[in-house]
Amino acid sequence: MAERVMTVAECIRTRSPLAGPALAFMLRAGAQTPERIARLLPQTVQSAGEAFVPALCASPRALARLTRFEGALWLRAFLAADMASLPVRLLFLPRPALGILAAYAGAVLFHRDVAALVLRRDVLAFREAFGEALHLFAVQRAPFFLRDPEALALALLGPAPEHEAAPPGVPALVGRIRAAGLAALASRAAALPPPLDAMLAAKLPEPGVPGSPVFPEESFQRSLDALLRKLLDKEVGHDGLLASAT
């Protein structure tokens, strides 16, 4: 039996706990809607519970009416999106939180190179770039997140330059971690329907990094989804880092 999809619209109509993040996103994205729609949206998330949610829950047609205005294509796609999907979860995150998640994902992919930093000056340089918490994560817990990080890093970034056959220096390693993490998020943005894909891609800290790769095998996509979900549920979100970035 196929797993039942819970759309954003259904979450709001049924007043699911998941409606909170959905409403917060709609409020933040309200600036992209025509002025006549924006006037209907409350200015704060707090007022959403008083004015917006009851209006949407009052009638099954309330949500549909909002999508009839010119320029509301993003809203139609968003209301039909699956709340349980990873790309939608990423869409809810603000830019600083996406940057944190990207750094942690990149640290998993290159955790062996991070562990190889033994000189004090190299460790301090890495911590200056990413912070002490991410360094400790890369050394202590990242090895348990992914069985074959090199294969996924290769799928995201391609092979390393030939002149870097030896372990990369700190600047090169920092660049690879950032590029791999952002490419991982960009590939999930490509899984969203338009125009939501462009909305998520525009929120990435550096939209110009390599991204949206076409994986040769579906197993790479599953590995990437599993990695990002685990980081969200067990590591980054659990430590409150994402909340501190909002």
Side-chain angles (χ1 to χ4, degrees), residues 36-37 61 63-72 75-76:
R36 53 188 171 181
I37 296 181
R61 299 179 181 178
L63 291 173
R65 284 199 294 270
L66 282 176
T67 68
R68 294 177 183 174
F69 295 96
E70 180 183 358
L75 187 55
R76 294 191 194 116

Side-chain angles (χ1 to χ4, degrees), residues 9-227:
E10 187 173 358
C11 284
I12 295 175
R13 282 199 300 265
T14 59
R15 307 194 187 203
S16 163
L18 297 175
L23 288 168
F25 173 84
M26 291 173 70
L27 294 171
R28 287 195 298 267
Q32 302 181 37
T33 66
E35 183 179 352
R36 53 188 171 181
I37 296 181
R39 287 199 299 265
L40 301 176
L41 301 179
Q43 297 299 311
T44 64
V45 176
Q46 287 75 19
S47 62
E50 301 173 3
F52 198 28
V53 176
L56 294 176
C57 296
S59 169
R61 299 179 181 178
L63 291 173
R65 284 199 294 270
L66 282 176
T67 68
R68 294 177 183 174
F69 295 96
E70 180 183 358
L73 292 178
W74 72 269
L75 187 55
R76 294 191 194 116
F78 180 65
L79 293 174
D82 180 7
M83 284 290 292
S85 71
L86 176 67
V88 171
R89 292 185 64 184
L90 298 178
L91 189 64
F92 290 156
L93 297 178
R95 179 176 296 211
L98 287 170
I100 292 173
L101 180 60
Y104 272 74
V108 171
L109 299 180
F110 290 98
H111 68 81
R112 292 190 177 100
D113 292 307
V114 178
L117 300 176
V118 293
L119 297 180
R120 183 174 184 272
R121 67 171 183 270
D122 291 339
V123 173
L124 291 178
F126 185 89
R127 289 184 173 183
E128 183 179 0
F130 289 113
E132 182 178 358
L134 188 135
H135 177 259
L136 292 176
F137 164 76
V139 174
Q140 297 178 357
R141 298 188 295 282
F144 304 101
F145 273 67
L146 198 63
R147 179 175 298 178
D148 191 0
E150 290 80 7
L152 188 54
L154 180 64
L156 287 167
L157 298 181
E162 293 183 1
H163 65 275
E164 292 184 6
V170 175
L173 178 58
V174 168
R176 285 191 193 176
I177 287 175
R178 286 177 174 158
L182 291 171
L185 298 188
S187 72
R188 297 302 84 204
L192 286 167
L196 299 182
D197 56 348
M199 294 176 71
L200 177 53
K203 290 172 63 176
L204 297 182
E206 299 175 34
V209 301
S212 303
V214 178
F215 293 117
E217 298 180 13
E218 186 180 349
S219 60
F220 286 114
Q221 300 181 44
R222 293 197 300 267
S223 296
L224 181 55
D225 275 7
L227 169 61

